[in-house]
Amino acid sequence: MLLNTVPLTRDLVFVGGGHAHALVLRSWGMDPLPGARLTVINPGPTAPYTGMLPGHVAGHYGRDDLEIDLVRLCRHAGARFIQDKAIGIDRSRREVILEGRGPVAYDVASIDVGITAQMDLPGFDAHGIGAKPLDVYAARWRAFLEQVERNEASPEVAVIGGGVAGCELAMAMAFRLRKIGAPPKVTVIEAGPRISGVGSKARQTMLAAMAALGIEVRTDARVTEVRADQVLLAGQEPVRAALCVGAAGAFPHGWISRTDLPLEDGFIVVGPDLGVKGDDALFAVGDCAVMPHAPRPKAGVFAVRAAPILQHNLRAALTGGARKNWRPQKDYLKLISLGEQSAMAEKFGLTLTGSFMWRWKYRIDRAFMDRLSDLPIMAGPKPPDTAALGVRDILAAKPLCGGCGAKVGSGVLSAALEGSAPMAGEVITGAGDDAAVLRQPGGGFQVISTDHLRALVEDPVQMTRIAAVHALGDVWAMGARPQVALASIVLPQMSAELQARTLAEIMQTTREVLEAAGAQLVGGHTTMGAELTIGFTVTGRREEMPLTVAGAQAGDVLILTRPIGSGVILAADMEGRADGRDVAAALEIMGKTQDREAAILGKVAHAMTDVTGFGLAGHVRPICAASDLDAILWRDAIPVYAGARALSDAGISSSLMPSNRADASMQGGEDLLLYDPQTAGGLLAAVPASDRDTVIAALEAEGCQGHVIGQLSKGTGQLTLG
């Protein structure tokens, strides 16, 4: 039978989440190129929008208004997102070298990483902050504001650079400091004889606006050193500053200068088609690139205008089509914020100033951000005109989730396993617990379990890490030491070259996770199918009888090592409704091993399990049922992933949640997150109440988390929410 997919044959890689790449991602989601696998590499899950930075600094915009959600854009575009920093490119091997993981191969790649304002001045690295990258500066500014509000820092700021960017930020910072009641002392330091980047009329307008905000402008001032509390100038009095911001020019990222890319003053040389000079497989756009035939200032407007040409030429490079040339405009509209909700516009020497210009700028900025946040919902496949009874009901229901959200409900599974009692002999326990327990002829016990996950993210590396941690959870939950693993991999249909690349990433990640847990990969099986699916069969050893769900005692407290709510976040991510920062934070936790937690809990727990597909309530219930106990769960003590509560309250849930809810009802109230299926969820241990403080302290000492979420008592298996 033929697979109902187009095989993947080419890797397209975006290095950086700049404005041009963000716009291409939006368009790609509406018209993807069949056969191309798109990857986006960026240090963070969001990227700041240049145009709204001064407004954010001044307090007119919140952080969410400023940031482009790259995770949501990648989900919309069907792209895999890699949160990491590029540190090099090997053009002979066509690989992007990353700081925190193995290289990423490409057939075609595009670079849009912007610039930095980090300055080569004595003391600047230790005591200064560049105005770019914008996200780094914005985070430092927010931290500085908090320090000023707590009287831990004086409201003294020095801005090195009297161009448009430096003056605009100086006005924004002065306005915000005034707004929080801290009389500011902001100084702009310019090496030239006057502030630059605008005409004489616009210059006078900016100087007047800065004077009204109490900003001092030092011209013909050469910085010799930046210290913790002041900036030293040659032949002038020092400038006192608790915060020093560098905005004197645009500097290329250092890692680019260490490549063999064609460069001009450290910037990547591109031709009229935005292709890197002499390399048909590489493109560069935005401030990190330079066009010698058409020099232009470093301004975000050019990256925005270049996006349609970049998209066309990327598709041409992937399909063998003809490329188009881009002709940047010679002049562009400068819209400069003046601190308050007032702005100045300059073009062709004409200048306009006032609140109406701010409203115009606001509409332009909001329209740009709306394009990248109000993503169109793409229609799914139409149901067949004629189908068997029940088909339309299933197709009309919530789409099947990835990870543990795709599991069969516990009620259906229990019925299927009924009568599967363990045989006499070496098998101690079989189906019904986290893993089967086998008696070893030489003494001790072995546990064995298997698990696999439908892809919940597009990145095979992150997916492998989560799947391996998820499978190992069954071994850790029984207090056993991981031993060996067999991998079971289903790849989407793809070319032999992409198979090799993908399997190399999966196997490398598998070995890393297993070796960190003290286990080794001993084999497995691969095949191609409709979607990426990764699973592992794992074994572990324990000298004494492994922990099971049985054995808990009245009075034991329940300790949970991880938040709940991953199923809601992943379901919202599928719908394009999750905050990318929340998705990235949850995935990072899900990919961490729990060997330290298991070692601590395994020494004292009476019973233990890991919280996975059946949700927290569905995993507490077997502990209670096995020992005739009731459990009270303290709602406010249960940790929840950031963003999950709001999403759940908004009606978002995993496709498995209704089944979990039906199989494990609560008394005394309800919280839908208790039925949320977890992937690579936390360990849940029943621990003597007398040991709770010691256990929590031991977990904290190892850098782990432990939350006392409830207590057990004599009863009949009832769960109560308190």
Side-chain angles (χ1 to χ4, degrees):
M1 180 179 68
L2 294 176
L3 297 176
N4 190 28
T5 59
V6 176
L8 299 171
T9 60
R10 292 291 184 272
D11 271 320
L12 170 61
V13 176
F14 285 178
V15 182
H19 298 357
H21 280 176
L23 290 169
V24 173
L25 281 171
R26 185 187 189 277
S27 298
W28 193 276
M30 295 183 286
D31 184 23
L33 179 64
R37 179 172 63 176
L38 177 56
T39 298
V40 178
I41 302 166
N42 197 69
T46 62
Y49 169 47
T50 309
M52 297 178 78
L53 178 66
H56 171 69
V57 171
H60 307 315
Y61 301 124
R63 179 181 176 183
D64 291 344
D65 297 319
L66 171 76
E67 295 184 338
I68 300 168
D69 193 330
L70 295 177
V71 175
R72 283 190 67 228
L73 274 172
C74 286
R75 171 65 75 173
H76 165 73
R80 68 167 169 167
F81 176 75
I82 297 176
Q83 186 172 327
D84 206 338
K85 181 181 179 181
I87 57 173
I89 291 181
D90 187 333
R91 292 201 287 166
S92 63
R93 297 174 59 89
R94 291 196 176 183
E95 290 180 341
V96 180
I97 312 303
L98 303 185
E99 185 176 64
R101 60 186 270 178
V104 174
Y106 66 87
D107 295 293
V108 176
S110 177
I111 306 170
D112 186 9
V113 295
I115 54 177
T116 178
Q118 203 70 10
M119 307 183 72
D120 187 16
L121 288 171
F124 188 87
D125 284 347
H127 306 298
I129 181 70
K132 292 189 176 182
L134 300 181
D135 52 348
V136 177
Y137 160 68
R140 178 69 184 91
W141 167 246
R142 290 191 293 267
F144 175 70
L145 272 182
E146 292 176 0
Q147 290 175 317
V148 171
E149 289 183 301
R150 295 193 300 264
N151 293 318
E152 296 174 358
S154 61
E156 298 173 315
V157 179
V159 180
I160 303 175
V164 170
C167 293
E168 195 173 23
L169 288 179
M171 288 185 280
M173 289 188 288
F175 176 81
R176 184 64 180 278
L177 287 168
R178 280 189 173 188
K179 191 174 180 181
I180 66 173
K185 182 68 173 69
V186 179
T187 305
V188 173
I189 302 169
E190 168 57 36
R194 63 183 66 87
I195 64 173
S196 60
V198 292
S200 59
K201 184 177 180 180
R203 182 181 303 114
Q204 292 306 313
T205 300
M206 290 174 62
L207 285 170
M210 286 192 286
L213 288 166
I215 298 171
E216 179 185 0
V217 178
R218 297 269 196 104
T219 56
D220 295 316
R222 183 174 63 86
V223 177
T224 59
E225 184 181 354
V226 177
R227 294 182 178 176
D229 59 349
Q230 61 182 338
V231 178
L232 303 186
L233 305 178
Q236 296 190 28
E237 288 294 316
V239 174
R240 290 193 57 80
L243 176 68
C244 178
V245 179
F251 304 97
H253 289 282
W255 69 266
I256 292 177
S257 65
R258 295 189 291 272
T259 68
D260 63 352
L261 292 167
L263 302 176
E264 182 178 292
D265 297 327
F267 299 101
I268 305 168
V269 177
V270 300
D273 62 352
L274 303 175
V276 173
K277 183 179 179 181
D279 194 327
D280 291 337
L282 274 179
F283 293 80
V285 69
D287 289 347
C288 68
V290 62
M291 303 179 73
H293 67 283
R296 64 196 193 281
K298 300 297 183 185
V301 63
F302 293 106
V304 172
R305 298 284 178 83
I309 300 298
L310 176 66
Q311 180 179 358
H312 173 88
N313 290 346
L314 289 171
R315 295 174 77 98
L318 291 162
T319 61
R323 302 186 184 188
K324 295 180 179 180
N325 288 340
W326 179 54
R327 296 176 178 84
Q329 68 269 37
K330 293 183 179 180
D331 199 1
Y332 66 100
L333 176 67
K334 300 184 185 75
L335 283 169
I336 302 168
S337 299
L338 301 178
E340 298 183 71
Q341 291 187 356
S342 177
M344 179 184 71
E346 184 196 43
K347 188 174 183 181
F348 300 129
L350 300 175
T351 301
L352 293 172
T353 306
S355 59
F356 68 97
M357 295 308 306
W358 168 266
R359 291 192 294 271
W360 187 23
K361 175 176 169 55
Y362 174 84
R363 285 195 294 271
I364 292 173
D365 289 338
R366 280 270 38 121
F368 177 82
M369 291 299 288
D370 287 345
R371 289 174 66 188
L372 298 176
S373 58
D374 296 338
L375 302 175
I377 299 175
M378 307 311 295
K382 294 179 63 176
D385 294 333
T386 304
L389 294 174
V391 168
R392 289 183 177 275
D393 294 336
I394 293 177
L395 292 178
K398 182 183 293 291
L400 186 64
C401 288
C404 257
K407 289 184 72 169
V408 174
S410 64
V412 174
L413 183 61
S414 297
L417 292 174
E418 196 171 325
S420 301
M423 300 173 61
E426 295 180 354
V427 180
I428 307 300
T429 66
D433 217 305
D434 292 296
V437 178
L438 310 179
R439 191 186 306 277
Q440 293 294 91
F445 300 87
Q446 184 179 55
V447 299
I448 182 169
S449 180
T450 188
D451 217 321
H452 72 266
L453 301 175
R454 292 179 64 244
L456 48 89
V457 290
E458 296 291 339
D459 179 18
V461 169
Q462 194 167 46
M463 191 62 232
T464 301
R465 177 170 293 278
I466 291 171
V469 169
H470 181 78
L472 288 168
D474 288 339
V475 176
W476 288 322
M478 304 196 85
R481 176 180 55 81
Q483 188 180 25
V484 300
L486 295 168
S488 179
I489 312 297
V490 180
L491 297 179
Q493 191 178 20
M494 56 180 62
S495 66
E497 187 171 9
L498 264 66
Q499 289 177 42
R501 292 174 183 174
T502 306
L503 283 175
E505 290 183 329
I506 290 173
M507 290 298 102
Q508 175 63 29
T509 306
T510 298
R511 285 189 288 267
E512 289 175 0
V513 175
L514 292 178
E515 288 172 6
Q520 60 179 315
L521 181 67
V522 294
H525 180 74
T526 60
T527 186
M528 283 192 289
E531 60 184 350
L532 178 65
T533 303
I534 300 176
F536 297 95
T537 298
V538 292
T539 69
R541 283 187 54 82
R542 182 177 165 102
E543 293 305 313
E544 59 269 28
M545 176 65 189
L547 293 167
T548 67
V549 294
Q553 299 177 15
D556 283 353
V557 294
L558 294 172
I559 294 179
L560 179 65
T561 63
R562 279 190 178 171
I564 62 172
S566 64
V568 168
I569 290 175
L570 296 174
D573 183 37
M574 285 179 60
E575 298 178 22
R577 297 174 62 182
D579 186 310
R581 290 167 299 193
D582 294 338
V583 176
L587 292 173
E588 182 181 4
I589 293 174
M590 291 159 62
K592 292 182 178 179
T593 60
Q594 297 195 85
D595 51 320
R596 291 171 298 168
E597 293 93 329
I600 293 169
L601 293 171
K603 296 175 182 178
V604 296
H606 288 147
M608 191 154 66
T609 185
D610 60 335
V611 180
T612 54
F614 301 143
L616 178 58
H619 287 276
V620 172
R621 184 169 294 280
I623 292 177
C624 293
S627 303
D628 295 327
L629 298 170
D630 289 342
I632 181 170
L633 300 180
W634 301 314
R635 185 182 190 272
D636 294 341
I638 299 171
V640 176
Y641 280 111
R645 177 70 63 191
L647 291 170
S648 179
D649 291 345
I652 297 175
S653 64
S654 170
S655 54
L656 186 59
M657 192 278 288
S659 175
N660 287 348
R661 186 181 182 188
D663 293 335
S665 60
M666 300 285 296
Q667 302 293 321
E670 189 168 64
D671 182 350
L672 295 182
L673 286 177
L674 297 179
Y675 313 115
D676 186 53
Q678 304 304 291
T679 303
L683 297 176
L684 176 67
V687 172
S690 58
D691 291 328
R692 58 177 288 174
D693 293 341
T694 302
V695 169
I696 296 300
L699 289 169
E700 291 176 351
E702 287 292 327
C704 305
Q705 289 192 350
H707 305 268
V708 180
I709 64 165
Q711 193 161 23
L712 303 174
S713 61
K714 288 285 188 181
T716 58
Q718 180 174 291
L719 274 61
T720 302
L721 184 62

